[in-house]
Coordinates of all heavy atoms in Angstrom, one line a residue:
N6 N 33.3 32.8 25.8 CA 31.9 33.3 25.8 C 31.0 32.5 26.9 O 30.2 33.1 27.6 CB 31.2 33.1 24.5 CG 31.9 34.0 23.4 OD1 32.5 35.0 23.7 ND2 31.8 33.6 22.2
L7 N 31.2 31.2 26.9 CA 30.5 30.4 27.9 C 30.9 30.8 29.4 O 30.0 30.9 30.2 CB 30.8 28.9 27.7 CG 30.0 27.9 28.5 CD1 28.5 28.0 28.2 CD2 30.4 26.5 28.3
Q8 N 32.1 31.0 29.6 CA 32.6 31.3 30.9 C 31.9 32.6 31.4 O 31.5 32.8 32.5 CB 34.1 31.5 31.0 CG 34.8 30.2 31.3 CD 36.3 30.4 31.3 OE1 36.8 31.5 31.5 NE2 37.1 29.4 31.1
K9 N 31.9 33.6 30.5 CA 31.3 34.9 30.7 C 29.8 34.8 31.1 O 29.3 35.3 32.0 CB 31.5 35.8 29.5 CG 31.1 37.2 29.7 CD 31.8 38.1 28.6 CE 31.3 39.5 28.7 NZ 30.0 39.7 28.0
L10 N 29.2 33.9 30.3 CA 27.8 33.7 30.5 C 27.5 33.0 31.8 O 26.6 33.4 32.6 CB 27.2 32.8 29.3 CG 25.7 32.6 29.2 CD1 25.0 34.0 29.1 CD2 25.3 31.7 28.0
H11 N 28.3 32.0 32.2 CA 28.2 31.3 33.5 C 28.3 32.3 34.6 O 27.6 32.1 35.6 CB 29.2 30.2 33.6 CG 28.7 28.9 33.0 ND1 27.7 28.2 33.5 CD2 29.3 28.1 32.1 CE1 27.5 27.1 32.9 NE2 28.4 27.0 31.9
K12 N 29.1 33.3 34.5 CA 29.3 34.3 35.5 C 28.0 35.1 35.7 O 27.7 35.6 36.8 CB 30.5 35.2 35.3 CG 31.8 34.5 35.5 CD 33.0 35.5 35.7 CE 34.3 34.8 35.7 NZ 35.0 35.0 34.4
E13 N 27.3 35.3 34.6 CA 26.2 36.2 34.6 C 24.9 35.5 35.1 O 23.9 36.2 35.5 CB 25.9 36.8 33.2 CG 26.9 37.8 32.8 CD 26.7 38.3 31.4 OE1 25.6 38.2 30.9 OE2 27.8 38.5 30.8
V14 N 24.8 34.2 34.9 CA 23.5 33.5 35.3 C 23.8 32.6 36.5 O 24.8 32.1 36.6 CB 22.9 32.8 34.1 CG1 22.8 33.7 32.9 CG2 23.7 31.6 33.7
P15 N 22.7 32.4 37.3 CA 22.9 31.5 38.5 C 23.2 30.1 38.0 O 22.8 29.7 36.9 CB 21.5 31.6 39.1 CG 20.8 32.8 38.5 CD 21.4 33.0 37.2
D16 N 24.0 29.4 38.9 CA 24.4 28.0 38.5 C 23.3 27.1 38.2 O 23.4 26.2 37.4 CB 25.2 27.4 39.7 CG 26.6 28.1 39.8 OD1 27.0 28.7 38.9 OD2 27.1 27.9 40.9
K17 N 22.1 27.3 38.8 CA 21.0 26.4 38.5 C 20.3 26.6 37.2 O 19.5 25.7 36.8 CB 20.0 26.5 39.7 CG 19.4 27.9 39.9 CD 18.3 27.8 41.0 CE 17.5 29.0 41.1 NZ 18.1 30.2 41.6
V18 N 20.7 27.6 36.5 CA 20.1 27.8 35.2 C 20.9 27.0 34.1 O 22.1 27.3 34.0 CB 20.1 29.3 34.8 CG1 19.6 29.5 33.4 CG2 19.2 30.1 35.7
K19 N 20.2 26.1 33.4 CA 20.9 25.3 32.4 C 21.1 26.1 31.1 O 20.2 26.8 30.7 CB 20.0 24.1 32.1 CG 20.4 22.9 33.0 CD 19.6 21.7 32.5 CE 19.0 21.0 33.8 NZ 17.8 20.2 33.6
I20 N 22.2 25.9 30.5 CA 22.5 26.6 29.3 C 22.5 25.6 28.2 O 23.2 24.7 28.1 CB 23.9 27.3 29.3 CG1 23.9 28.4 30.4 CG2 24.2 28.0 28.0 CD1 25.2 29.0 30.7
V21 N 21.5 25.9 27.2 CA 21.4 25.0 26.0 C 22.1 25.8 24.9 O 21.7 26.9 24.6 CB 19.9 24.8 25.6 CG1 19.9 24.0 24.3 CG2 19.1 24.1 26.8
A22 N 23.2 25.3 24.4 CA 23.9 25.9 23.4 C 23.3 25.6 22.0 O 23.3 24.5 21.6 CB 25.4 25.5 23.3
V23 N 22.6 26.7 21.5 CA 21.9 26.4 20.2 C 22.9 26.5 19.0 O 23.4 27.6 18.7 CB 20.7 27.4 20.1 CG1 20.0 27.2 18.8 CG2 19.8 27.3 21.3
S24 N 23.1 25.3 18.4 CA 24.2 25.2 17.5 C 23.7 25.1 16.0 O 24.5 24.7 15.1 CB 25.0 24.0 17.8 OG 24.2 22.8 18.1
K25 N 22.4 25.5 15.8 CA 21.9 25.4 14.4 C 22.8 26.2 13.5 O 23.3 27.3 13.9 CB 20.5 26.0 14.4 CG 20.3 27.5 14.8 CD 18.9 27.8 15.0 CE 18.8 29.3 15.3 NZ 17.5 29.7 15.9
T26 N 22.9 25.7 12.3 CA 23.8 26.3 11.2 C 25.3 26.2 11.5 O 26.1 26.4 10.6 CB 23.5 27.7 10.8 OG1 24.0 28.6 11.8 CG2 22.0 28.0 10.6
K27 N 25.7 25.8 12.7 CA 27.1 25.7 13.0 C 27.7 24.3 12.6 O 26.9 23.3 12.7 CB 27.4 26.0 14.5 CG 27.0 27.3 14.9 CD 27.7 28.4 14.3 CE 27.1 29.8 14.5 NZ 27.8 30.8 13.7
S28 N 28.9 24.3 12.2 CA 29.5 23.1 11.7 C 29.7 22.0 12.8 O 29.8 22.4 14.0 CB 30.8 23.3 11.0 OG 31.8 23.6 11.9
E29 N 29.8 20.8 12.4 CA 30.2 19.7 13.4 C 31.5 20.0 14.1 O 31.7 19.8 15.2 CB 30.1 18.3 12.7 CG 28.7 17.9 12.4 CD 28.6 16.8 11.4 OE1 29.6 16.2 11.0 OE2 27.5 16.5 10.9
E30 N 32.4 20.5 13.3 CA 33.8 20.9 13.8 C 33.7 21.9 14.9 O 34.3 21.7 16.0 CB 34.6 21.4 12.7 CG 36.0 21.4 12.9 CD 36.8 22.1 11.7 OE1 36.1 22.5 10.7 OE2 38.0 22.2 11.8
T31 N 32.8 22.9 14.7 CA 32.6 23.9 15.7 C 32.0 23.4 17.0 O 32.4 23.7 18.1 CB 31.7 25.1 15.1 OG1 32.4 25.6 14.0 CG2 31.5 26.2 16.1
I32 N 31.0 22.5 16.8 CA 30.3 21.9 17.9 C 31.3 21.0 18.7 O 31.3 21.0 19.9 CB 29.1 21.1 17.4 CG1 28.0 22.0 16.8 CG2 28.4 20.4 18.7 CD1 26.9 21.3 16.1
L33 N 32.1 20.3 18.0 CA 33.1 19.4 18.6 C 34.0 20.2 19.5 O 34.4 19.8 20.6 CB 33.8 18.5 17.6 CG 34.7 17.4 18.2 CD1 33.8 16.4 18.9 CD2 35.3 16.7 17.0
E34 N 34.5 21.4 19.0 CA 35.3 22.2 19.8 C 34.6 22.7 21.1 O 35.2 22.7 22.1 CB 35.7 23.5 19.0 CG 36.9 23.2 18.0 CD 37.1 24.5 17.1 OE1 36.8 25.6 17.5 OE2 37.5 24.3 15.9
A35 N 33.4 23.1 20.9 CA 32.6 23.5 22.1 C 32.5 22.3 23.1 O 32.7 22.5 24.3 CB 31.2 24.0 21.6
Y36 N 32.2 21.2 22.5 CA 32.0 19.9 23.3 C 33.3 19.6 24.1 O 33.3 19.3 25.3 CB 31.7 18.8 22.4 CG 31.8 17.4 23.1 CD1 30.7 16.9 23.7 CD2 33.0 16.7 22.9 CE1 30.8 15.6 24.4 CE2 33.0 15.4 23.5 CZ 31.9 14.9 24.2 OH 32.0 13.6 24.8
N37 N 34.4 19.9 23.4 CA 35.8 19.6 24.1 C 36.1 20.5 25.2 O 37.0 20.2 26.0 CB 36.9 19.6 23.0 CG 36.8 18.3 22.2 OD1 36.3 17.2 22.6 ND2 37.3 18.4 21.0
T38 N 35.4 21.6 25.3 CA 35.6 22.5 26.5 C 34.8 22.0 27.7 O 34.8 22.6 28.7 CB 35.2 24.0 26.2 OG1 33.7 24.0 26.1 CG2 35.7 24.5 24.9
G39 N 33.9 21.0 27.4 CA 33.2 20.4 28.6 C 31.7 20.6 28.5 O 31.0 20.1 29.3
H40 N 31.2 21.4 27.5 CA 29.8 21.6 27.4 C 29.1 20.4 26.7 O 29.6 19.9 25.7 CB 29.5 22.9 26.6 CG 28.1 23.4 26.8 ND1 27.6 24.0 27.9 CD2 27.0 23.2 26.0 CE1 26.3 24.2 27.8 NE2 25.9 23.8 26.6
K41 N 27.9 20.0 27.3 CA 27.3 18.8 26.8 C 25.9 19.0 26.3 O 25.3 18.0 25.7 CB 27.3 17.7 27.9 CG 28.6 17.3 28.4 CD 29.1 16.1 27.5 CE 30.6 15.8 27.5 NZ 31.4 16.0 28.7
I42 N 25.3 20.1 26.4 CA 23.9 20.3 26.0 C 23.8 21.2 24.8 O 24.2 22.4 24.9 CB 23.1 20.9 27.2 CG1 23.3 20.2 28.5 CG2 21.6 20.9 26.8 CD1 22.5 20.8 29.7
F43 N 23.3 20.7 23.7 CA 23.2 21.4 22.5 C 21.8 21.4 22.0 O 21.0 20.4 22.1 CB 24.2 20.9 21.4 CG 25.6 21.1 21.8 CD1 26.3 20.2 22.5 CD2 26.3 22.3 21.4 CE1 27.6 20.4 22.9 CE2 27.6 22.5 21.8 CZ 28.3 21.6 22.5
G44 N 21.4 22.5 21.3 CA 20.0 22.5 20.8 C 20.0 22.8 19.3 O 20.9 23.5 18.8
E45 N 19.0 22.2 18.6 CA 18.9 22.4 17.2 C 17.5 22.7 16.8 O 16.6 22.3 17.6 CB 19.4 21.1 16.4 CG 20.9 20.9 16.5 CD 21.7 21.8 15.6 OE1 21.2 22.2 14.5 OE2 22.9 22.0 15.9
N46 N 17.2 23.3 15.7 CA 15.8 23.6 15.3 C 15.3 22.9 14.1 O 14.2 23.1 13.7 CB 15.5 25.1 15.3 CG 16.2 25.7 14.1 OD1 17.1 25.2 13.5 ND2 15.6 26.8 13.7
R47 N 16.2 22.1 13.4 CA 15.8 21.4 12.2 C 16.2 19.9 12.4 O 17.3 19.5 12.7 CB 16.5 21.9 11.0 CG 15.9 23.2 10.6 CD 16.7 23.8 9.4 NE 16.4 25.2 9.2 CZ 15.3 25.7 8.6 NH1 14.4 24.9 8.1 NH2 15.1 27.0 8.6

Side-chain angles (χ1 to χ4, degrees):
N6 294 336
L7 183 65
Q8 269 178 27
K9 187 159 172 282
L10 188 60
H11 271 300
K12 285 199 191 107
E13 286 173 31
V14 306
D16 288 342
K17 59 178 191 288
V18 174
K19 270 183 223 153
I20 298 171
V21 179
V23 178
S24 49
K25 63 191 187 198
T26 77
K27 298 298 166 186
S28 70
E29 288 164 10
E30 197 185 357
T31 301
I32 298 172
L33 191 58
E34 279 171 29
Y36 169 87
N37 285 333
T38 71
H40 192 77
K41 296 271 162 33
I42 310 177
F43 293 89
E45 291 283 334
N46 71 337
R47 287 177 196 279

